[in-house]
PDB file of all heavy atoms in Angstrom:
ATOM      1  N   ALA A   3       1.007  40.794   6.658  1.00 51.00           N
ATOM      2  CA  ALA A   3       1.481  40.378   7.974  1.00 51.00           C
ATOM      3  C   ALA A   3       1.327  38.873   8.167  1.00 51.00           C
ATOM      4  O   ALA A   3       2.197  38.206   8.727  1.00 51.00           O
ATOM      5  CB  ALA A   3       0.723  41.133   9.056  1.00 51.00           C
ATOM      6  N   GLN A   4       0.204  38.324   7.680  1.00 59.00           N
ATOM      7  CA  GLN A   4      -0.001  36.884   7.807  1.00 59.00           C
ATOM      8  C   GLN A   4       0.995  36.110   6.972  1.00 59.00           C
ATOM      9  O   GLN A   4       1.506  35.072   7.380  1.00 59.00           O
ATOM     10  CB  GLN A   4      -1.438  36.502   7.414  1.00 59.00           C
ATOM     11  CG  GLN A   4      -2.454  36.780   8.505  1.00 59.00           C
ATOM     12  CD  GLN A   4      -3.699  35.894   8.377  1.00 59.00           C
ATOM     13  OE1 GLN A   4      -3.718  34.944   7.616  1.00 59.00           O
ATOM     14  NE2 GLN A   4      -4.729  36.225   9.122  1.00 59.00           N
ATOM     15  N   GLN A   5       1.293  36.608   5.774  1.00 61.00           N
ATOM     16  CA  GLN A   5       2.237  35.912   4.904  1.00 61.00           C
ATOM     17  C   GLN A   5       3.646  35.885   5.484  1.00 61.00           C
ATOM     18  O   GLN A   5       4.415  34.967   5.242  1.00 61.00           O
ATOM     19  CB  GLN A   5       2.254  36.570   3.515  1.00 61.00           C
ATOM     20  CG  GLN A   5       0.991  36.311   2.702  1.00 61.00           C
ATOM     21  CD  GLN A   5       0.982  37.100   1.402  1.00 61.00           C
ATOM     22  OE1 GLN A   5       1.518  38.203   1.326  1.00 61.00           O
ATOM     23  NE2 GLN A   5       0.375  36.527   0.370  1.00 61.00           N
ATOM     24  N   LEU A   7       4.296  35.768   8.706  1.00 92.00           N
ATOM     25  CA  LEU A   7       4.248  35.169  10.039  1.00 92.00           C
ATOM     26  C   LEU A   7       5.183  33.958  10.117  1.00 92.00           C
ATOM     27  O   LEU A   7       5.147  33.074   9.279  1.00 92.00           O
ATOM     28  CB  LEU A   7       2.819  34.730  10.347  1.00 92.00           C
ATOM     29  CG  LEU A   7       2.549  34.151  11.739  1.00 92.00           C
ATOM     30  CD1 LEU A   7       2.778  35.216  12.814  1.00 92.00           C
ATOM     31  CD2 LEU A   7       1.120  33.613  11.804  1.00 92.00           C
ATOM     32  N   THR A   8       6.025  33.938  11.139  1.00 95.00           N
ATOM     33  CA  THR A   8       6.939  32.816  11.324  1.00 95.00           C
ATOM     34  C   THR A   8       6.365  31.828  12.329  1.00 95.00           C
ATOM     35  O   THR A   8       5.460  32.152  13.119  1.00 95.00           O
ATOM     36  CB  THR A   8       8.300  33.297  11.829  1.00 95.00           C
ATOM     37  OG1 THR A   8       8.149  33.825  13.160  1.00 95.00           O
ATOM     38  CG2 THR A   8       8.891  34.351  10.900  1.00 95.00           C
ATOM     39  N   ALA A  11       7.013  33.006  15.976  1.00 96.00           N
ATOM     40  CA  ALA A  11       6.149  34.129  16.366  1.00 96.00           C
ATOM     41  C   ALA A  11       4.730  33.643  16.625  1.00 96.00           C
ATOM     42  O   ALA A  11       4.084  34.083  17.586  1.00 96.00           O
ATOM     43  CB  ALA A  11       6.155  35.196  15.273  1.00 96.00           C
ATOM     44  N   PHE A  12       4.251  32.720  15.796  1.00 96.00           N
ATOM     45  CA  PHE A  12       2.888  32.236  16.013  1.00 96.00           C
ATOM     46  C   PHE A  12       2.807  31.413  17.294  1.00 96.00           C
ATOM     47  O   PHE A  12       1.836  31.550  18.065  1.00 96.00           O
ATOM     48  CB  PHE A  12       2.397  31.401  14.832  1.00 96.00           C
ATOM     49  CG  PHE A  12       0.989  30.918  15.045  1.00 96.00           C
ATOM     50  CD1 PHE A  12      -0.093  31.733  14.755  1.00 96.00           C
ATOM     51  CD2 PHE A  12       0.752  29.668  15.596  1.00 96.00           C
ATOM     52  CE1 PHE A  12      -1.396  31.313  15.011  1.00 96.00           C
ATOM     53  CE2 PHE A  12      -0.548  29.234  15.842  1.00 96.00           C
ATOM     54  CZ  PHE A  12      -1.620  30.057  15.545  1.00 96.00           C
ATOM     55  N   ARG A  15       2.529  33.608  20.233  1.00 97.00           N
ATOM     56  CA  ARG A  15       1.193  34.210  20.338  1.00 97.00           C
ATOM     57  C   ARG A  15       0.183  33.180  20.831  1.00 97.00           C
ATOM     58  O   ARG A  15      -0.658  33.489  21.688  1.00 97.00           O
ATOM     59  CB  ARG A  15       0.777  34.749  18.973  1.00 97.00           C
ATOM     60  CG  ARG A  15      -0.624  35.336  18.945  1.00 97.00           C
ATOM     61  CD  ARG A  15      -0.884  36.042  17.631  1.00 97.00           C
ATOM     62  NE  ARG A  15      -2.249  36.564  17.564  1.00 97.00           N
ATOM     63  CZ  ARG A  15      -2.714  37.322  16.577  1.00 97.00           C
ATOM     64  NH1 ARG A  15      -1.907  37.675  15.581  1.00 97.00           N
ATOM     65  NH2 ARG A  15      -3.965  37.750  16.585  1.00 97.00           N
ATOM     66  N   ALA A  16       0.255  31.970  20.316  1.00 97.00           N
ATOM     67  CA  ALA A  16      -0.707  30.933  20.704  1.00 97.00           C
ATOM     68  C   ALA A  16      -0.546  30.549  22.173  1.00 97.00           C
ATOM     69  O   ALA A  16      -1.540  30.310  22.878  1.00 97.00           O
ATOM     70  CB  ALA A  16      -0.530  29.719  19.807  1.00 97.00           C
ATOM     71  N   ASP A  19      -2.433  32.654  24.559  1.00 97.00           N
ATOM     72  CA  ASP A  19      -3.898  32.664  24.434  1.00 97.00           C
ATOM     73  C   ASP A  19      -4.473  31.520  25.268  1.00 97.00           C
ATOM     74  O   ASP A  19      -4.219  30.346  24.987  1.00 97.00           O
ATOM     75  CB  ASP A  19      -4.285  32.495  22.963  1.00 97.00           C
ATOM     76  CG  ASP A  19      -5.762  32.756  22.708  1.00 97.00           C
ATOM     77  OD1 ASP A  19      -6.577  32.424  23.582  1.00 97.00           O
ATOM     78  OD2 ASP A  19      -6.084  33.275  21.614  1.00 97.00           O
ATOM     79  N   LEU A  45       1.428  22.848  11.750  1.00 97.00           N
ATOM     80  CA  LEU A  45       1.055  22.953  13.155  1.00 97.00           C
ATOM     81  C   LEU A  45      -0.456  22.863  13.352  1.00 97.00           C
ATOM     82  O   LEU A  45      -1.223  23.589  12.711  1.00 97.00           O
ATOM     83  CB  LEU A  45       1.555  24.288  13.722  1.00 97.00           C
ATOM     84  CG  LEU A  45       1.417  24.492  15.227  1.00 97.00           C
ATOM     85  CD1 LEU A  45       2.376  23.561  15.986  1.00 97.00           C
ATOM     86  CD2 LEU A  45       1.696  25.949  15.598  1.00 97.00           C
ATOM     87  N   VAL A  47      -3.410  23.657  15.877  1.00 98.00           N
ATOM     88  CA  VAL A  47      -3.733  24.531  17.000  1.00 98.00           C
ATOM     89  C   VAL A  47      -5.049  24.037  17.569  1.00 98.00           C
ATOM     90  O   VAL A  47      -6.098  24.120  16.922  1.00 98.00           O
ATOM     91  CB  VAL A  47      -3.849  26.001  16.551  1.00 98.00           C
ATOM     92  CG1 VAL A  47      -4.111  26.905  17.747  1.00 98.00           C
ATOM     93  CG2 VAL A  47      -2.589  26.427  15.797  1.00 98.00           C
ATOM     94  N   THR A  55     -11.707  33.124  20.393  1.00 96.00           N
ATOM     95  CA  THR A  55     -10.329  33.572  20.223  1.00 96.00           C
ATOM     96  C   THR A  55     -10.131  34.145  18.834  1.00 96.00           C
ATOM     97  O   THR A  55     -10.721  33.667  17.858  1.00 96.00           O
ATOM     98  CB  THR A  55      -9.331  32.418  20.436  1.00 96.00           C
ATOM     99  OG1 THR A  55      -8.029  32.869  20.068  1.00 96.00           O
ATOM    100  CG2 THR A  55      -9.698  31.200  19.620  1.00 96.00           C
ATOM    101  N   ASP A  56      -9.275  35.142  18.744  1.00 95.00           N
ATOM    102  CA  ASP A  56      -8.948  35.733  17.440  1.00 95.00           C
ATOM    103  C   ASP A  56      -8.105  34.794  16.581  1.00 95.00           C
ATOM    104  O   ASP A  56      -7.966  35.009  15.375  1.00 95.00           O
ATOM    105  CB  ASP A  56      -8.176  37.046  17.642  1.00 95.00           C
ATOM    106  CG  ASP A  56      -9.056  38.157  18.220  1.00 95.00           C
ATOM    107  OD1 ASP A  56     -10.299  38.026  18.097  1.00 95.00           O
ATOM    108  OD2 ASP A  56      -8.503  39.123  18.766  1.00 95.00           O
ATOM    109  N   LEU A  57      -7.565  33.765  17.196  1.00 96.00           N
ATOM    110  CA  LEU A  57      -6.736  32.828  16.424  1.00 96.00           C
ATOM    111  C   LEU A  57      -7.526  32.096  15.344  1.00 96.00           C
ATOM    112  O   LEU A  57      -6.945  31.568  14.391  1.00 96.00           O
ATOM    113  CB  LEU A  57      -6.083  31.806  17.357  1.00 96.00           C
ATOM    114  CG  LEU A  57      -5.021  32.338  18.329  1.00 96.00           C
ATOM    115  CD1 LEU A  57      -4.449  31.205  19.159  1.00 96.00           C
ATOM    116  CD2 LEU A  57      -3.909  33.062  17.579  1.00 96.00           C
ATOM    117  N   ARG A  58      -8.841  32.081  15.465  1.00 94.00           N
ATOM    118  CA  ARG A  58      -9.653  31.429  14.440  1.00 94.00           C
ATOM    119  C   ARG A  58      -9.474  32.112  13.079  1.00 94.00           C
ATOM    120  O   ARG A  58      -9.748  31.508  12.042  1.00 94.00           O
ATOM    121  CB  ARG A  58     -11.129  31.434  14.844  1.00 94.00           C
ATOM    122  CG  ARG A  58     -11.432  30.564  16.067  1.00 94.00           C
ATOM    123  CD  ARG A  58     -12.924  30.478  16.339  1.00 94.00           C
ATOM    124  NE  ARG A  58     -13.222  29.780  17.579  1.00 94.00           N
ATOM    125  CZ  ARG A  58     -13.279  28.451  17.705  1.00 94.00           C
ATOM    126  NH1 ARG A  58     -13.061  27.699  16.648  1.00 94.00           N
ATOM    127  NH2 ARG A  58     -13.560  27.895  18.878  1.00 94.00           N
ATOM    128  N   HIS A  59      -9.035  33.356  13.077  1.00 93.00           N
ATOM    129  CA  HIS A  59      -8.799  34.054  11.812  1.00 93.00           C
ATOM    130  C   HIS A  59      -7.655  33.416  11.016  1.00 93.00           C
ATOM    131  O   HIS A  59      -7.519  33.662   9.818  1.00 93.00           O
ATOM    132  CB  HIS A  59      -8.483  35.530  12.069  1.00 93.00           C
ATOM    133  CG  HIS A  59      -9.602  36.307  12.695  1.00 93.00           C
ATOM    134  ND1 HIS A  59     -10.889  36.283  12.203  1.00 93.00           N
ATOM    135  CD2 HIS A  59      -9.629  37.126  13.790  1.00 93.00           C
ATOM    136  CE1 HIS A  59     -11.666  37.049  12.953  1.00 93.00           C
ATOM    137  NE2 HIS A  59     -10.934  37.574  13.934  1.00 93.00           N
ATOM    138  N   PHE A  60      -6.858  32.598  11.705  1.00 94.00           N
ATOM    139  CA  PHE A  60      -5.739  31.937  11.022  1.00 94.00           C
ATOM    140  C   PHE A  60      -6.134  30.600  10.404  1.00 94.00           C
ATOM    141  O   PHE A  60      -5.281  29.908   9.836  1.00 94.00           O
ATOM    142  CB  PHE A  60      -4.581  31.718  12.007  1.00 94.00           C
ATOM    143  CG  PHE A  60      -3.868  32.967  12.398  1.00 94.00           C
ATOM    144  CD1 PHE A  60      -4.194  33.633  13.576  1.00 94.00           C
ATOM    145  CD2 PHE A  60      -2.871  33.501  11.586  1.00 94.00           C
ATOM    146  CE1 PHE A  60      -3.535  34.789  13.947  1.00 94.00           C
ATOM    147  CE2 PHE A  60      -2.206  34.662  11.950  1.00 94.00           C
ATOM    148  CZ  PHE A  60      -2.537  35.312  13.135  1.00 94.00           C
ATOM    149  N   ALA A  61      -7.391  30.241  10.495  1.00 92.00           N
ATOM    150  CA  ALA A  61      -7.843  28.981   9.897  1.00 92.00           C
ATOM    151  C   ALA A  61      -7.523  28.982   8.404  1.00 92.00           C
ATOM    152  O   ALA A  61      -7.828  29.940   7.694  1.00 92.00           O
ATOM    153  CB  ALA A  61      -9.342  28.792  10.118  1.00 92.00           C
ATOM    154  N   GLY A  62      -6.893  27.919   7.946  1.00 90.00           N
ATOM    155  CA  GLY A  62      -6.530  27.824   6.536  1.00 90.00           C
ATOM    156  C   GLY A  62      -5.249  28.543   6.170  1.00 90.00           C
ATOM    157  O   GLY A  62      -4.874  28.573   4.995  1.00 90.00           O
ATOM    158  N   HIS A  63      -4.569  29.123   7.154  1.00 94.00           N
ATOM    159  CA  HIS A  63      -3.314  29.834   6.872  1.00 94.00           C
ATOM    160  C   HIS A  63      -2.294  28.875   6.269  1.00 94.00           C
ATOM    161  O   HIS A  63      -2.006  27.810   6.821  1.00 94.00           O
ATOM    162  CB  HIS A  63      -2.757  30.425   8.171  1.00 94.00           C
ATOM    163  CG  HIS A  63      -1.418  31.095   7.995  1.00 94.00           C
ATOM    164  ND1 HIS A  63      -1.294  32.424   7.678  1.00 94.00           N
ATOM    165  CD2 HIS A  63      -0.150  30.609   8.095  1.00 94.00           C
ATOM    166  CE1 HIS A  63      -0.012  32.733   7.588  1.00 94.00           C
ATOM    167  NE2 HIS A  63       0.707  31.653   7.835  1.00 94.00           N
ATOM    168  N   ARG A  64      -1.735  29.260   5.141  1.00 93.00           N
ATOM    169  CA  ARG A  64      -0.749  28.409   4.480  1.00 93.00           C
ATOM    170  C   ARG A  64       0.236  29.251   3.694  1.00 93.00           C
ATOM    171  O   ARG A  64      -0.155  30.004   2.804  1.00 93.00           O
ATOM    172  CB  ARG A  64      -1.449  27.411   3.551  1.00 93.00           C
ATOM    173  CG  ARG A  64      -0.496  26.416   2.922  1.00 93.00           C
ATOM    174  CD  ARG A  64      -1.227  25.287   2.244  1.00 93.00           C
ATOM    175  NE  ARG A  64      -0.315  24.249   1.806  1.00 93.00           N
ATOM    176  CZ  ARG A  64      -0.680  23.087   1.304  1.00 93.00           C
ATOM    177  NH1 ARG A  64      -1.991  22.810   1.179  1.00 93.00           N
ATOM    178  NH2 ARG A  64       0.204  22.199   0.921  1.00 93.00           N
ATOM    179  N   LEU A  68       4.809  28.131   6.861  1.00 96.00           N
ATOM    180  CA  LEU A  68       3.931  27.789   7.981  1.00 96.00           C
ATOM    181  C   LEU A  68       2.538  27.414   7.495  1.00 96.00           C
ATOM    182  O   LEU A  68       1.883  28.196   6.803  1.00 96.00           O
ATOM    183  CB  LEU A  68       3.841  28.979   8.943  1.00 96.00           C
ATOM    184  CG  LEU A  68       2.943  28.815  10.171  1.00 96.00           C
ATOM    185  CD1 LEU A  68       3.470  27.710  11.078  1.00 96.00           C
ATOM    186  CD2 LEU A  68       2.852  30.139  10.943  1.00 96.00           C
ATOM    187  N   ASP A  69       2.100  26.218   7.869  1.00 95.00           N
ATOM    188  CA  ASP A  69       0.735  25.762   7.618  1.00 95.00           C
ATOM    189  C   ASP A  69       0.049  25.563   8.963  1.00 95.00           C
ATOM    190  O   ASP A  69       0.596  24.882   9.854  1.00 95.00           O
ATOM    191  CB  ASP A  69       0.716  24.434   6.856  1.00 95.00           C
ATOM    192  CG  ASP A  69       1.138  24.585   5.407  1.00 95.00           C
ATOM    193  OD1 ASP A  69       1.330  25.727   4.960  1.00 95.00           O
ATOM    194  OD2 ASP A  69       1.258  23.549   4.727  1.00 95.00           O
ATOM    195  N   LEU A  70      -1.144  26.125   9.121  1.00 97.00           N
ATOM    196  CA  LEU A  70      -1.877  26.035  10.377  1.00 97.00           C
ATOM    197  C   LEU A  70      -3.203  25.313  10.178  1.00 97.00           C
ATOM    198  O   LEU A  70      -3.913  25.551   9.196  1.00 97.00           O
ATOM    199  CB  LEU A  70      -2.142  27.425  10.948  1.00 97.00           C
ATOM    200  CG  LEU A  70      -0.915  28.266  11.288  1.00 97.00           C
ATOM    201  CD1 LEU A  70      -1.341  29.673  11.733  1.00 97.00           C
ATOM    202  CD2 LEU A  70      -0.088  27.596  12.379  1.00 97.00           C
ATOM    203  N   VAL A  71      -3.520  24.440  11.122  1.00 96.00           N
ATOM    204  CA  VAL A  71      -4.826  23.790  11.179  1.00 96.00           C
ATOM    205  C   VAL A  71      -5.432  24.151  12.527  1.00 96.00           C
ATOM    206  O   VAL A  71      -4.912  23.756  13.577  1.00 96.00           O
ATOM    207  CB  VAL A  71      -4.716  22.265  11.031  1.00 96.00           C
ATOM    208  CG1 VAL A  71      -6.103  21.638  11.070  1.00 96.00           C
ATOM    209  CG2 VAL A  71      -3.997  21.894   9.728  1.00 96.00           C
ATOM    210  N   ILE A  72      -6.498  24.928  12.500  1.00 97.00           N
ATOM    211  CA  ILE A  72      -7.154  25.383  13.732  1.00 97.00           C
ATOM    212  C   ILE A  72      -8.365  24.494  13.976  1.00 97.00           C
ATOM    213  O   ILE A  72      -9.286  24.445  13.152  1.00 97.00           O
ATOM    214  CB  ILE A  72      -7.604  26.849  13.628  1.00 97.00           C
ATOM    215  CG1 ILE A  72      -6.495  27.739  13.044  1.00 97.00           C
ATOM    216  CG2 ILE A  72      -8.076  27.361  14.982  1.00 97.00           C
ATOM    217  CD1 ILE A  72      -5.311  27.933  13.939  1.00 97.00           C
TER     218      ILE A  72
END
Side-chain angles (χ1 to χ4, degrees):
Q4 281 205 11
Q5 289 174 328
L7 184 65
T8 67
F12 181 83
R15 177 171 178 174
D19 191 325
L45 188 69
V47 183
T55 172
D56 290 340
L57 292 181
R58 293 186 186 278
H59 296 310
F60 289 96
H63 176 90
R64 185 168 188 173
L68 179 64
D69 288 354
L70 299 175
V71 181
I72 314 291

